[in-house]
């Protein structure tokens, strides 16, 4: 994916929206991100399908890539547009952000976030959130420092629940024990 080492001269990196031609390049980049973060590996087919679905429907979100002068994908950012009553309305949730290790510390990550800001403003979205990697990720402090340097502030921990297919949704009316607590009880 990322052939020769960047030379000691001024080089340019183009940040642009991904196109269907980028599907396999993005897949390789996501595989590397998952490897780095210790995430569950996904097949190229799964990654290709998810990428194509995102590219086919702008209302879901946007995929940005950073492309070298040689046409290699050296970084990418995926954002999905979410809706929440508490905002209220829509906000952007960064799903993936990655820069190839050999291309880091050249402000490509910052450039991807700036391009995301432009995309969000075009969408009328005024808030961006991101979930940081887990505490066992060795570069977590550096990742946090990166987001802080780009204007992000902490909002608390995120958690996840993986649902099995055959489990009940628990949405029916259920008997509960006792009356609700009185107003004077905490
Ligand atoms: C976080 C990341 C996208 C930053 O990309 P980048 O192009 O290096 O970003 P910038 O050049 O704009 O900023 C560089 C700063 O990012 C921080 N940083 C965060 N993670 C880093 C890492 N793994 N290696 C080096 N610097 C990192 C450092 O503070 C660095 O500052 P420095 O150059 O003075 O040391 C990139 O390091 C990366 O892909 N990390 C692994 C995946 C990851 O953590 N993604 C975010 C998931 S929420």
């Amino acid at each position: 994916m990322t052939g020769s080492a960047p030379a000691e001269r001024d080089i340019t990196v183009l940040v642009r929206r991904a196109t269907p031609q980028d599907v396999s390049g993005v897949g390789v980049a996501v595989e590397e991100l998952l490897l780095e973060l210790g995430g569950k590996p996904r097949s190229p087919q799964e990654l290709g399908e998810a990428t194509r679905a995102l590219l086919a429907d702008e209302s879901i979100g946007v995929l940005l890539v950073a492309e070298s002068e040689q046409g290699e994908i050296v970084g990418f950012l995926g954002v999905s547009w979410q809706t929440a009553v508490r905002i209220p309305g829509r906000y952007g949730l960064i799903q993936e952000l990655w820069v190839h290790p050999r291309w880091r510390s050249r402000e490509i990550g910052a450039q991807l976030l700036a391009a995301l800001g432009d995309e969000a403003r075009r969408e009328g979205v005024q808030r961006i959130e991101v979930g940081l990697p887990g505490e066992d990720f060795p570069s977590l402090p550096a990742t946090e420092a990166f987001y802080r340097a780009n204007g992000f502030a902490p909002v608390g921990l995120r958690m996840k629940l993986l649902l099995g297919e055959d489990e009940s949704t628990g949405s029916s009316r259920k008997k509960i024990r006792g009356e609700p607590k009185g107003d004077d009880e905490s």
Side-chain angles (χ1 to χ4, degrees):
M1 180 180 81
T2 50
S4 53
E8 287 300 316
R9 63 179 175 83
D10 281 347
I11 49 173
T12 57
V13 167
L14 172 69
V15 170
R16 58 169 175 80
R17 277 189 179 201
T19 71
Q21 283 72 46
D22 298 314
V23 168
S24 68
V26 167
V28 173
V30 177
E31 277 175 28
E32 296 202 24
L33 170 67
L34 289 173
L35 196 66
E36 187 168 349
L37 294 185
K40 184 180 171 192
R42 302 290 179 183
S43 71
Q45 289 75 15
E46 285 175 302
L47 297 177
E49 263 174 46
T51 305
R52 275 187 285 271
L54 183 54
L55 295 182
D57 186 352
E58 283 187 13
S59 70
I60 303 175
V62 174
L63 196 51
L64 298 170
V65 291
E67 183 186 56
S68 73
E69 290 168 353
Q70 286 72 36
E72 305 153 329
I73 291 179
V74 298
F76 76 102
L77 184 157
V79 64
S80 58
W81 305 127
Q82 309 286 326
T83 300
V85 176
R86 71 190 154 89
I87 299 294
R90 297 168 77 219
Y91 69 101
L93 181 59
I94 295 176
Q95 299 290 351
E96 299 97 8
L97 173 59
W98 179 82
V99 170
H100 189 284
R102 287 175 43 238
W103 291 78
R104 287 181 190 166
S105 294
R106 292 158 186 253
E107 298 188 358
I108 297 173
Q111 217 181 314
L112 283 161
L113 285 181
L116 167 61
D118 293 340
E119 292 283 353
R121 275 184 284 272
R122 269 197 288 277
E123 281 288 321
V125 164
Q126 292 179 330
R127 181 184 175 112
I128 305 288
E129 293 189 7
V130 64
L132 295 186
E135 279 177 2
D136 49 354
F137 178 54
S139 298
L140 178 61
T143 304
E144 187 180 344
F146 164 79
Y147 281 113
R148 282 182 189 268
N150 285 281
F152 284 67
V155 286
L157 288 177
R158 288 208 308 165
M159 300 177 83
K160 73 176 175 189
L161 169 67
L162 302 176
L163 293 172
E165 279 173 16
D166 54 352
E167 287 163 26
S168 152
T169 63
S171 60
S172 58
R173 185 170 281 270
K174 289 222 168 68
K175 264 191 198 161
I176 54 170
R177 266 188 303 137
E179 294 291 319
K181 291 176 183 163
D183 284 345
D184 53 340
E185 293 177 53
S186 56

